[in-house]
Amino acid sequence: ARPACAQYYWATTGTGLWTNTANWSSNATSGGTPGTVPPSSRTSNTVYFNQSSVNGDSTVELSGTWAALGLVFNNTGSTLIRASASGTQSFTTGNSGITVNLGAGPVTFGDATNAVPLISNGHTSNASITNHSASLLRFANGVNHLAYNLTFTGSGAGGVQVDGNFESGNAFIKSGSGAVVFTGSMRLQNTGTISSGTMAITGAGSMGAGTWNGAPAYGFALHNDGVFVYSSSARSAISGNISGTGAVVMTGSGMLSLLGTGNSWTGPLTISSGTVAFETPNAAYPGIVSSRSILNDSLLIINTCDGSGSQPAYGGSISGTGGMIVTGPYSNGGKWPLFTLFGTNSSSGPLAIQSGTVALSFSGSTSPAADVLAPAVNVAFGSNFGAAIPDLSYNNSTMRITSKVA
């Protein structure tokens, strides 16, 4: 009998059935006695693809559901693990998770017709999905993480891509210099940490298992010391607080609403396309931090408060050609909210004031070059401007109140 936690090596290239004993060996390099299929168990048995002397494009076909303590990929050719017939056959990994080593070729779980969703289910400790290769590790049919925390890590330029849904009720961690990309629904129901590298939501992907104003919403804390990219055509909301020094980048055509009322995140915000909205419908101030820099080449929305008449302010730098909309409800106290911009400004985009008062007191060398749109003369200019409305001249730039925003 084979001992517990034994090692099994895939010993062929081309297409082969997982259940065919001739495709397996106990020898790590070559040869060995075939005849033993790895028992299906997430608590024992590590499976390697391939034997070190066996390299080439390989397709492993599953009939039935299977499990292993861990999977290790060294094959320099491509490796595809798919169902043996049209339909779905899941694969479960335990504590050891998945490792794609340096030099390995692309690894893919499932395809459009022969699906293999991954179930990550560590039985006594956290699990990891690791890619050290320059080739992509792709889960075509999603990932469902059941127990303990899950870390996506690795230094490989190939990164990890999760198509379909990602489901997890446990903490999510991104470490290592590589990237993990989600193209479907990322239904994370616990805290998230990006300690290094990049986490991206692309395609029509979304984030969060809850909802806010009809959009998927992520309701837990997100700590970001790396890069968080939202490049989706869909709308998502983050209702938890964001902390850390990492960058947030908006590149999709969709909308990302940030609802946290205690954000301590100080990293830069870049809006290349789409919309980012700071919205705090139940808080006294927008969740923005004065030391953060904003490069806006698309659209930034500031929803100032919940009608309490609060007076938030932003003192970070704003640059780019994108527009900014400031809005906020009329307060129960009988006044509009006041929002003050007093940081360094080099933005050339328009500023639309849909409601409330915006005080402009930029400390930079230029004032906003475009028109200010307001429903009334509700614009207060700070002492840095040294001139009065409506015709304001400052560093060869003119600001005008031109029309009402519908």
Side-chain angles (χ1 to χ4, degrees):
R2 298 289 295 275
C5 299
Q7 297 175 335
Y8 297 80
Y9 298 86
W10 189 252
T12 187
T13 58
T15 300
L17 281 170
W18 180 282
T19 53
N20 186 345
T21 58
N23 293 331
W24 295 100
S25 174
S26 59
N27 193 311
T29 55
S30 63
T33 302
T36 304
V37 175
S40 182
S41 172
R42 67 183 175 92
T43 62
S44 62
N45 309 316
T46 300
V47 177
Y48 291 81
F49 299 92
N50 293 344
Q51 289 179 301
S52 61
S53 64
V54 178
N55 291 282
D57 295 344
S58 303
T59 298
V60 183
E61 295 191 330
L62 303 178
S63 56
T65 58
W66 290 87
L69 175 68
L71 300 176
V72 180
F73 295 87
N74 297 307
N75 177 24
T76 58
S78 65
T79 303
L80 169 63
I81 299 178
R82 69 181 186 188
S84 60
S86 179
T88 300
Q89 305 290 351
S90 64
F91 198 99
T92 300
T93 54
N95 288 357
S96 297
I98 294 174
T99 301
V100 181
N101 283 320
L102 180 66
V107 176
T108 304
F109 285 75
D111 56 31
T113 56
N114 301 72
V116 179
L118 178 74
I119 299 175
S120 173
N121 191 12
H123 57 287
T124 59
S125 66
N126 300 335
S128 62
I129 294 176
T130 304
N131 187 10
H132 293 305
S133 170
S135 299
L136 178 66
L137 168 59
R138 176 175 176 246
F139 300 93
N141 311 115
V143 174
N144 188 4
H145 180 62
L146 298 180
Y148 297 93
N149 299 337
L150 177 64
T151 298
F152 285 86
T153 187
S155 57
V160 179
Q161 180 172 312
V162 180
D163 300 325
N165 293 336
F166 174 78
E167 302 269 354
S168 179
N170 301 280
F172 167 93
I173 301 166
K174 169 66 187 75
S175 66
S177 58
V180 57
V181 176
F182 299 91
T183 66
S185 175
M186 185 186 182
R187 296 175 55 83
L188 182 61
Q189 301 180 61
N190 210 313
T191 56
T193 300
I194 307 171
S195 60
S196 57
T198 299
M199 184 185 88
I201 298 176
T202 68
S206 60
M207 184 176 185
T211 57
W212 180 78
N213 281 0
Y218 172 62
F220 298 88
L222 176 65
H223 183 86
N224 175 27
D225 285 327
V227 180
F228 171 56
V229 178
Y230 194 80
S231 184
S232 173
S233 59
R235 182 179 183 183
S236 292
I238 299 177
S239 56
N241 291 324
I242 304 176
S243 59
T245 60
V248 173
V249 180
M250 176 72 194
T251 62
S253 61
M255 181 174 180
L256 179 64
S257 293
L258 305 179
L259 314 178
T261 61
N263 288 333
S264 59
W265 152 55
T266 58
L269 169 64
T270 300
I271 310 171
S272 298
S273 58
T275 302
V276 172
F278 287 95
E279 303 185 72
T280 53
N282 297 307
Y285 58 90
I288 58 178
V289 176
S290 291
S291 59
R292 180 182 310 124
S293 65
I294 298 177
L295 171 59
N296 174 27
D297 285 322
S298 190
L299 180 59
L300 171 66
I301 297 176
I302 306 293
N303 189 349
T304 57
C305 73
D306 64 349
S308 64
S310 61
Q311 298 184 350
Y314 176 72
S317 66
I318 302 178
S319 60
T321 60
M324 181 166 67
I325 297 174
V326 178
T327 185
Y330 194 70
S331 73
N332 294 329
K335 59 181 179 180
W336 291 100
L338 171 67
F339 181 63
T340 302
L341 296 168
F342 63 91
T344 301
N345 176 68
S346 61
S347 174
S348 60
L351 168 63
I353 307 169
Q354 290 187 325
S355 59
T357 298
V358 175
L360 302 174
S361 184
F362 289 107
S363 60
S365 59
T366 60
S367 62
D371 294 340
V372 175
L373 309 178
V377 185
N378 263 353
V379 183
F381 298 98
S383 58
N384 285 332
F385 284 94
I389 55 173
D391 295 318
L392 170 68
S393 263
Y394 182 73
N395 285 344
N396 300 317
S397 165
T398 301
M399 299 186 68
R400 303 182 306 279
I401 298 174
T402 61
S403 62
K404 181 177 179 179
V405 176

